């Protein structure tokens, strides 16, 4: 067929080593995106083969091809809509029977299939032998054995793809005999053939079987193309009814059971399984890993290692990497237009703001990389299902899922995590309702960025009981999150689809370094693409909100006067030295900036010779400025003293102007407008501003408080806060801490929420409900504590008790699944399907 | 007799399925069909879910779901 490009789809059940086969075929050239409109990941790759470009698409791993799960729909739509030239069905050779179940469905779709028996090494290790020639004969499709993990089988697979694609036509000899159902299939087929469009586009027999299965997707296909769709649907319904009466069994079950029976027979004829039923190594390991007593201990140990490596070591690593981002900030400071005395040019102010907002998030990159790598290890090793197995019972009581553990740990179940990878990790939860509930509560965990504010408040208002206060805030979040999760499950999430738990527990695998690193980098890259661009865009909006409308003419004149006075003083000092006439009034700002850039240039330079080189460069650049800055000679010393005074005035003016601009900004106006509401929580407008600014990134709250209260010299934020808010008590601080804990997800997390829930509505919901909840809790604590006359410390533990009680009560309320009566079928099928 | 009544260590063969809709479909897709060999491996530390060996591979399932699987010893 010449030099046509080939489209190859890779299908397979979960845990069959599909991604290893994918890597084996394509090598490093892969691209990860999502299937249009859904959160299912789509991995594509390509390789060149005899002058042709072969494009490989990795379909989601599915056990079957029904319409019940999103992954199955995506896989099926791709097969039908994109008409791949070849479909490789990757099967776990050591578990062939179940894997054949997907294959027969692919064959029914009349897809050009190659059966790839992967993991032959595992099958051999277990002493199984597979009659490949026999299998090929029964199925009538090419069968290629591989050991992808060991890198064996690439050529054989590529060869099979080549010859199948070049084969003139794919006549399938394979056909499942559905026995008593055949005549209903024929009846429907006849009706379907009347529509020329449908019968050309889709395999008719498959559509007929799917209609008998009562498959939603098939009904949609029909409605979209068949002119008499309603008529066909009525006929299908009548066929189902008649079949049920005749056979005494529902059509979909007859179909599934027939397929399974066939797979069992095929496997029985081709696979020889050793008679000694030796326990596999995985089985032995599970005796300890899933043990009633040891299991939870091992789980906690693994989570602690995860926390230590990702958060503690990751933090250290982030500190080591920081100079890189610092250099980026310095670079931006150097290339942007120079600073002014009071105000900076807009381009500089905005540019620096955007760069700083971006580096603030890039700072977490090392932590993310470690986290993603560790998650990949957990996923590849097969421990994730065990974790779900151990904890499912506990989490289910709150509408969550066994797989909710990891997202919550990442979000910071104790102290220090990050909601972004937490929300990202919810992908693994198969139950949509539990997944959304998890997405909604992960931002309530204590992420790293909330900690600075906690520390300020505890330092200022709970100084003597700091340890207890820290323990309180670290653990109370879980007792707030669990009841909230249950509450959401019982209300807004009630209508969301919930999936059965049934979960495969695959054998343990030793993760490979390349596999883990590949995944970690893939996800970091995805994160960079998704988050960083939006963070930069949002930073611009926030910049406008906190800087405009700006200072009034009056105030501007006031600051100008302060500037003039300090410049006058400096100039009169100049006149007393030999530099008279060589330094003009305009030079003063330049000297200050010269000094700053010299300091920046020497940042982190410890080597004396290197430092001298920098000095020499600056001296050559401007000897006069250098003399003042470096205190050269008597005059230099005198002027340096004067310069320091000017610099101090400049800093003061800038700080005050910034605080004032901030207070009169749009955000400041909002902060004041909110005071009537937030007063019940004990927040005044200054606190409101700090909280509003935290939405962009939670670190901002501490920084904003610092700039509002004006940090002077040695004074720390907590001291200046205490001095600035005379009426503040521990109760105020407690309400503020709780609000911060429940604070809506920051902008990057919100974007991740939108990405993972695939809905702007859920993103907005998560922002709004957490704000209201935070306000409610803070008001309850503050106003309640005040009315009851409790101290901050007493209120703290009263609230703790309340949360624990709420958690216990919520655990006792049945979940929607438990109240819904599971549909039971009365008709028995014992006699009819075996 | 339904699957959730069995204790770890017992083996049985599946006889019938009494679940419809997504649960029934999911059970069938994971290989539950009349005649399949099932062995109860262990309960989770909090009793639910339960781990099974189904025709040579391992699967865990909640007791509420196992109730829909009729078995014969």
């Amino acid at each position: 067929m010449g030099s046509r490009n080939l489209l190859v789809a890779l299908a397979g059940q979960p845990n069959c080593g599909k991604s290893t086969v994918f890597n084996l075929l394509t090598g490093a050239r892969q691209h990860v995106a999502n299937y249009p409109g859904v959160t299912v990941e789509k991995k594509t790759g390509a390789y060149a083969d005899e002058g042709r470009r072969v494009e490989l698409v990795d379909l989601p791993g599915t056990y079957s091809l029904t319409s019940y799960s999103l992954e199955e729909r995506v896989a099926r739509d791709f097969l039908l809509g994109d008409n791949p030239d070849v479909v490789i069905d990757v099967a776990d050779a050591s578990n062939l029977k179940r894997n054949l179940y997907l294959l027969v469905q692919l064959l029914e779709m009349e897809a050009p299939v190659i059966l790839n028996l992967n993991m032959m090494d595992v099958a051999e290790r277990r002493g199984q032998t597979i009659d490949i020639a026999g299998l090929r004969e029964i199925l009538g499709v090419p069968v290629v054995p591989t050991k992808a993990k060991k890198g064996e089988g690439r050529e054989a697979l590529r060869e099979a793809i080549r010859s199948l694609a070049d084969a003139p036509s794919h006549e399938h000899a394979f056909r499942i005999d559905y026995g008593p159902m055949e005549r209903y299939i024929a009846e429907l087929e006849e009706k379907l053939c009347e529509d020329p469009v449908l019968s050309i586009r889709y395999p008719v027999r498959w559509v007929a079987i799917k209609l008998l299965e009562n498959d939603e997707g098939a009904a949609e296909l029909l409605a979209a193309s068949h002119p008499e769709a309603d008529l066909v649907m009525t006929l299908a319904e009548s066929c189902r009814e008649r079949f049920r009466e005749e056979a005494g069994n529902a059509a979909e079950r007859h179909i599934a059971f027939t397929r399974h029976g066939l797979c069992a027979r095929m496997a029985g004829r081709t696979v020889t399984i050793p008679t000694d039923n030796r326990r596999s190594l995985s089985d032995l390991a599970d005796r300890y890993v899933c043990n009633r007593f040891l299991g939870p201990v091992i789980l906690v140990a693994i989570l602690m290692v995860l926390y230590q490596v990702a958060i503690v070591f990751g933090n250290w690593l982030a500190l080591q990497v920081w100079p890189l981002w610092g250099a980026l900030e310095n670079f931006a400071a150097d290339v942007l237009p120079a600073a002014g005395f009071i105000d900076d040019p807009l381009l500089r102010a905005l540019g620096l703001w955007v760069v700083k907002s971006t580096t603030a998030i890039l700072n977490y990159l090392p932590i993310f990389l470690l986290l993603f790598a560790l998650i990949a290890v957990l996923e590849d090793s097969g421990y994730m299902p065990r974790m779900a197995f151990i904890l499912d019972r506990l989490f289910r009581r709150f509408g969550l899922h066994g797989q909710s553990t990891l997202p919550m740990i990442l979000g910071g179940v104790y102290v220090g995590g990050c909601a972004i990878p937490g929300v990202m990790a919810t992908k693994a939860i198969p139950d949509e309702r539990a997944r959304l509930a998890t997405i909604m509560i992960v931002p309530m965990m204590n992420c790293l960025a909330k900690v600075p504010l906690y520390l300020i408040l505890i330092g200022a208002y709970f100084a003597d009981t700091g340890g207890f206060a820290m323990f309180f805030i670290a653990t109370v979040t879980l007792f707030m999150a669990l009841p909230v999760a249950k509450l959401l499950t019982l209300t807004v999430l009630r209508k969301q689809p919930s999936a059965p738990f049934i979960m495969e527990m695959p054998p343990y695998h030793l993760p490979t370094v390349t596999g883990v690193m590949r995944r970690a980098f893939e996800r970091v890259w995805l994160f960079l693409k998704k988050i960083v661009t939006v963070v930069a865009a949002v930073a611009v909006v926030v910049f406008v909100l906190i800087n405009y409308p700006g200072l009034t003419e009056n105030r501007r004149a006031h600051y100008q006067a302060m500037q003039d006075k300090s410049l006058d003083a400096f100039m009169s000092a100049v006149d007393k030295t030999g530099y008279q006439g060589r330094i003009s009034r305009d030079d003063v700002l330049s000297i200050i900036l010269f000094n700053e850039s010299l300091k920046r240039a020497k940042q982190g330079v410890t080597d004396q010779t290197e430092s001298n080189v920098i000095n020499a460069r600056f001296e050559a650049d401007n000897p006069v400025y250098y003399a003042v800055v470096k205190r050269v000679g008597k005059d230099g010393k005198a002027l340096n003293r004067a310069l320091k005074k000017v610099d101090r005035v400049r800093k003061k003016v800038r700080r005050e102007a910034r605080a004032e601009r901030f207070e009169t900004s749009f955000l400041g106006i909002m902060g004041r407008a909110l005071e009537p509401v937030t007063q019940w929580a004990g927040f005044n407008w200054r606190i409101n501003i700090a909280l509003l600014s935290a939405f962009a990134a939670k670190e901002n709250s501490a920084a904003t408080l610092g700039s509002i209260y004006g940090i002077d010299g040695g004074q720390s934020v907590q001291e200046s806060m205490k001095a600035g808010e005379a009426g503040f008590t521990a109760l105020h601080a407690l309400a503020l801490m709780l609000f911060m804990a429940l604070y809506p997800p920051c902008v990057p997390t919100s974007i991740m929420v939108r990405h993972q829930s695939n809905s702007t509505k859920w993103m907005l919901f998560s922002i709004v409900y957490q704000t209201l909840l935070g306000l409610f809790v803070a008001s309850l604590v503050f106003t309640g504590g005040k009315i009851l006359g409790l101290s901050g410390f007493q209120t703290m533990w009263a609230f703790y008790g309340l949360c624990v009680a709420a958690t216990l009560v919520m655990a006792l309320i049945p979940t929607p699944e438990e109240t819904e009566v599971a549909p039971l079928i009365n008709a028995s099928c014992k006699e009819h399907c075996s | 007799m339904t699957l959730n009544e069995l204790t770890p260590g017992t083996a049985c063969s599946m006889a019938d399925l009494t679940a419809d809709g997504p649960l029934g479909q999911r059970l069938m897709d994971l290989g539950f069909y009349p005649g399949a060999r099932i062995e109860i491996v262990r309960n989770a530390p909090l009793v639910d879910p339960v781990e099974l060996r189904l025709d040579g591979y391992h699967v865990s399932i909640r007791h509420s779901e196992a109730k829909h699987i009729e078995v014969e010893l």
Side-chain angles (χ1 to χ4, degrees):
Chain A
M1 279 212 203
S3 62
R4 184 169 65 95
N5 287 344
L6 288 183
L7 180 63
V8 176
L10 212 60
Q13 293 196 337
N15 310 308
C16 65
K18 192 154 60 75
S19 50
T20 327
V21 173
F22 185 87
N23 293 340
L24 181 77
L25 279 171
T26 61
R29 291 168 61 195
Q30 352 190 309
H31 174 74
V32 184
N34 275 7
Y35 283 93
V38 291
T39 53
V40 181
E41 221 169 63
K42 179 186 187 181
K43 203 156 67 172
T44 51
Y47 65 90
D49 187 65
E50 295 185 352
R52 274 195 292 207
R53 187 185 137 85
V54 181
E55 196 181 319
L56 215 67
V57 176
D58 192 18
L59 299 177
T62 58
Y63 293 101
S64 176
L65 289 170
T66 62
S67 294
Y68 282 107
S69 83
L70 185 60
E71 283 79 11
E72 292 180 31
R73 265 180 178 241
V74 165
R76 205 167 82 180
D77 289 350
F78 186 86
L79 292 172
L80 289 175
D82 291 59
N83 283 315
D85 299 291
V86 173
V87 178
I88 302 178
D89 177 34
V90 184
D92 171 2
S94 67
N95 192 5
L96 189 62
K97 184 160 73 173
R98 197 195 66 202
N99 279 261
L100 284 175
Y101 185 70
L102 180 69
L103 179 82
V104 296
Q105 295 188 61
L106 288 168
L107 290 174
E108 243 169 12
M109 289 177 79
E110 293 173 23
V113 181
I114 294 173
L115 173 60
N116 168 216
L117 294 180
N118 191 32
M119 296 165 70
M120 284 301 282
D121 41 339
V122 180
E124 282 167 15
R125 206 166 53 227
R126 293 194 191 159
Q128 300 181 0
T129 50
I130 300 173
D131 174 11
I132 290 167
L135 204 54
R136 195 176 290 144
E137 194 178 323
I138 298 172
L139 294 165
V141 298
V143 179
V144 183
T146 58
K147 298 171 187 170
K149 210 170 174 191
K150 296 186 172 170
E152 290 174 29
R154 183 198 330 235
E155 255 328 294
L157 258 185
R158 287 186 172 180
E159 165 63 35
I161 293 170
R162 210 179 299 142
S163 52
L164 185 66
D166 292 340
S169 71
H170 314 295
E171 282 283 318
H172 276 307
F174 190 84
R175 188 180 145 124
I176 303 175
D177 181 7
Y178 286 102
M181 190 180 263
E182 282 298 331
R183 66 190 181 86
Y184 298 104
I185 298 175
E187 198 177 328
L188 268 174
E189 265 188 280
E190 196 182 319
K191 186 77 195 155
L192 287 168
C193 282
E194 286 172 16
D195 173 15
V197 180
L198 185 113
S199 52
I200 286 174
R201 213 184 282 168
Y202 308 112
V204 178
R205 185 177 158 86
W206 175 78
V207 178
I209 293 170
K210 279 285 151 190
L211 287 176
L212 283 169
E213 246 181 7
N214 203 15
D215 184 281
E216 244 176 76
E220 281 163 22
L221 282 184
L222 187 72
S225 87
H226 201 286
E228 294 173 317
D230 290 342
L231 220 80
V232 182
M233 282 310 287
T234 324
L235 180 67
E237 197 40 54
S238 114
C239 285
R240 280 172 55 77
E241 263 318 301
R242 279 180 285 149
F243 176 77
R244 181 196 271 268
E245 245 160 64
E246 183 193 313
N249 192 12
E252 62 268 28
R253 292 198 294 157
H254 175 79
I255 293 170
F257 294 164
T258 311
R259 284 179 189 152
H260 273 305
L262 179 74
C263 294
R265 281 198 300 280
M266 289 195 295
R269 275 169 57 188
T270 51
V271 184
T272 332
I273 296 170
T275 40
D276 72 316
N277 222 339
R278 230 165 5 110
R279 292 262 161 188
S280 66
L281 220 57
S282 279
D283 225 12
L284 275 174
D286 268 345
R287 273 169 64 184
Y288 304 101
V289 177
C290 296
N291 178 279
R292 172 162 299 180
F293 305 103
L294 214 51
V297 175
I298 293 174
L299 180 84
V300 169
I302 287 178
L303 293 179
M304 274 171 72
V305 170
L306 186 90
Y307 179 84
Q308 280 294 326
V309 173
I311 305 296
V312 179
F313 175 68
N315 239 331
W316 177 85
L317 201 64
L319 272 176
Q320 310 307 305
V321 177
W322 174 254
L324 193 70
W325 314 125
L328 194 70
E329 283 180 10
N330 284 345
F331 174 75
D334 280 338
V335 295
L336 287 165
F341 195 92
I342 305 173
D343 293 319
D344 290 343
L346 177 65
L347 191 61
R348 179 184 182 81
L350 180 62
L352 280 183
W353 174 263
V354 171
V355 169
K356 279 199 168 140
S357 306
T358 316
T359 49
I361 189 93
L362 287 176
N363 184 30
Y364 290 102
L365 221 52
I367 298 181
F368 288 160
L369 190 67
L370 282 173
L371 273 178
F372 293 151
L374 288 169
I375 298 173
V377 169
L378 286 182
E379 282 173 348
D380 287 0
S381 64
Y383 186 69
M384 292 280 246
R386 271 79 185 180
M387 198 148 91
F389 180 70
I390 292 169
L391 286 169
D392 181 65
R393 175 67 184 271
L394 192 70
F395 278 121
R396 189 161 30 116
R397 296 243 62 104
F398 300 99
L400 302 170
H401 190 277
Q403 308 265 41
S404 303
T405 323
L406 190 69
M408 284 168 73
I409 298 289
L410 298 180
V413 101
Y414 191 63
V415 177
C418 178
I420 302 168
V423 173
M424 227 164 157
T426 58
K427 209 186 197 88
I429 304 173
D431 182 318
E432 188 62 15
R433 187 195 294 154
R435 200 172 76 88
L436 275 172
T438 313
I439 291 177
M440 291 297 138
I441 60 155
V442 164
M444 286 166 62
M445 302 289 110
N446 287 318
C447 75
L448 278 168
K450 290 177 185 173
V451 177
L453 184 75
Y454 293 161
L455 291 178
I456 291 175
L457 292 170
I458 289 175
Y461 297 99
F462 294 98
D464 359 325
T465 51
F468 288 105
M470 203 62 213
F471 174 81
F472 164 80
I473 198 69
T475 53
V476 78
T477 43
L478 185 66
F479 293 114
M480 291 195 285
L482 290 178
V484 166
K486 183 63 170 277
L487 213 59
L488 291 173
T489 307
L490 292 173
T491 55
V492 282
L493 296 174
R494 202 185 174 91
K495 292 264 160 60
Q496 289 296 318
S498 172
F501 175 76
I502 321 160
M503 175 185 70
E504 187 182 350
M505 309 258 280
Y508 290 103
H509 282 287
L510 203 62
T512 59
V513 176
T514 45
V516 166
M517 287 325 280
R518 190 196 291 262
R519 271 252 277 302
F521 279 107
E522 249 171 40
R523 285 183 188 165
V524 164
W525 178 238
L526 200 73
F527 162 81
L528 282 176
K529 270 198 310 197
K530 287 272 166 209
I531 301 290
V532 174
T533 45
V534 187
V535 165
V538 170
V540 176
V541 176
V542 175
F543 179 83
V544 172
L545 285 178
I546 62 170
N547 281 296
Y548 289 88
L551 298 177
T552 59
E553 275 308 310
N554 241 342
R555 296 303 297 165
R556 197 173 285 279
H558 164 77
Y559 289 123
Q560 189 64 42
M562 282 169 81
Q563 171 190 348
D564 289 344
K565 212 174 116 201
S566 77
L567 289 185
D568 287 344
F570 184 78
M571 287 319 289
S572 67
V574 171
D575 290 345
K576 286 183 202 130
T577 65
Y579 288 109
Q580 186 181 14
R582 288 167 68 192
I583 295 179
S584 75
R585 211 180 157 84
D586 293 336
D587 282 322
V588 185
L589 179 62
S590 308
I591 298 174
I592 293 174
L593 298 180
F594 183 84
N595 190 17
E596 280 176 4
S597 67
L598 177 60
K599 276 185 192 151
R600 265 206 303 277
K602 287 169 100 174
Q603 208 170 56
V605 176
T606 44
D607 184 40
Q608 190 56 43
T609 46
E610 203 180 328
S611 163
N612 289 340
V613 171
I614 296 171
N615 278 346
R617 200 179 73 221
F618 273 79
E619 188 168 13
D621 204 22
N622 194 327
V624 176
Y625 289 3
Y626 187 82
V628 177
V629 168
K630 281 303 213 180
R631 303 154 51 93
V632 179
K634 196 170 125 283
D635 289 348
K637 276 193 187 117
L639 281 184
N640 189 276
R641 264 197 304 280
L643 186 75
K644 283 206 170 120
K645 278 186 197 143
V646 181
D647 202 27
R648 257 200 303 281
V649 172
R650 177 172 179 255
K651 287 208 171 103
K652 183 163 181 273
V653 168
R654 283 172 74 94
R655 191 179 59 237
E656 285 180 4
R658 189 175 61 227
E660 202 173 319
R661 206 161 45 224
F662 212 64
E663 288 163 17
T664 55
S665 70
F666 296 121
L667 207 68
I669 296 167
M670 282 200 275
R672 282 172 202 273
L674 286 172
E675 213 174 19
V677 183
T678 57
Q679 59 167 325
W680 301 105
F683 306 160
N684 58 26
W685 62 271
R686 277 186 291 268
I687 302 291
N688 286 349
I689 297 177
L691 291 176
L692 284 170
S693 75
F695 183 55
K698 296 214 171 80
E699 296 90 330
N700 284 359
S701 58
T704 310
L705 282 176
S707 72
I708 291 177
Y709 294 119
I711 308 163
D712 282 315
Q715 222 179 11
S716 63
V717 184
Q718 53 247 50
E719 283 163 355
S720 48
M721 183 170 174
K722 250 178 147 168
E725 299 283 0
F728 254 42
T729 61
L731 206 53
H732 286 85
L734 176 64
L736 188 52
M737 264 161 57
L738 285 171
F739 185 82
M740 197 58 190
L742 296 169
Y743 198 84
C746 62
V747 169
T749 307
S750 298
I751 299 157
M752 209 20 106
V753 167
R754 155 106 201 91
H755 182 62
Q756 286 300 335
S757 64
N758 202 28
S759 129
T760 311
K761 201 189 88 202
W762 283 119
M763 178 186 85
L764 293 176
F765 176 79
S766 81
I767 295 171
V768 171
Y769 103 85
Q770 274 189 250
T771 311
L772 295 179
L773 183 71
L775 214 53
F776 170 74
V777 166
S779 304
L780 179 81
V781 164
F782 180 72
T783 309
K786 215 162 78 174
I787 291 172
L788 295 174
L790 298 176
S791 73
F793 195 66
Q794 288 165 325
T795 315
M796 184 181 272
W797 298 106
F799 181 70
Y800 200 85
L802 202 67
C803 285
V804 173
T807 307
L808 292 176
V809 169
M810 279 299 176
L812 295 176
I813 300 176
T815 52
E817 287 96 339
E818 289 168 301
T819 47
E820 275 164 24
V821 182
L824 284 168
I825 307 164
N826 296 322
S828 165
C829 74
K830 273 178 206 166
E831 306 90 287
H832 305 280
C833 41
S834 37
Chain B
M1 178 178 260
T2 56
L3 187 60
N4 62 317
E5 295 167 33
L6 301 182
T7 49
T10 40
C12 59
S13 124
M14 182 171 153
D16 198 4
L17 182 67
T18 55
D20 226 348
L23 176 59
Q25 192 65 50
R26 176 97 176 144
L27 285 169
M28 291 190 289
D29 290 345
L30 267 112
F32 287 90
Y33 70 98
R37 291 295 301 161
I38 302 174
E39 186 192 329
I40 319 285
V41 181
R42 63 175 66 80
N43 280 325
L46 297 167
V47 185
D48 204 18
V50 55
E51 183 181 347
L52 311 172
R53 207 172 134 96
L54 171 67
D55 274 345
Y57 85 101
H58 288 248
V59 64
S60 78
I61 175 173
R62 288 176 183 161
H63 278 103
S64 58
E65 295 162 344
K67 209 163 62 191
H68 296 280
I69 296 166
E70 296 211 357
V71 293
E72 283 162 355
L73 285 180

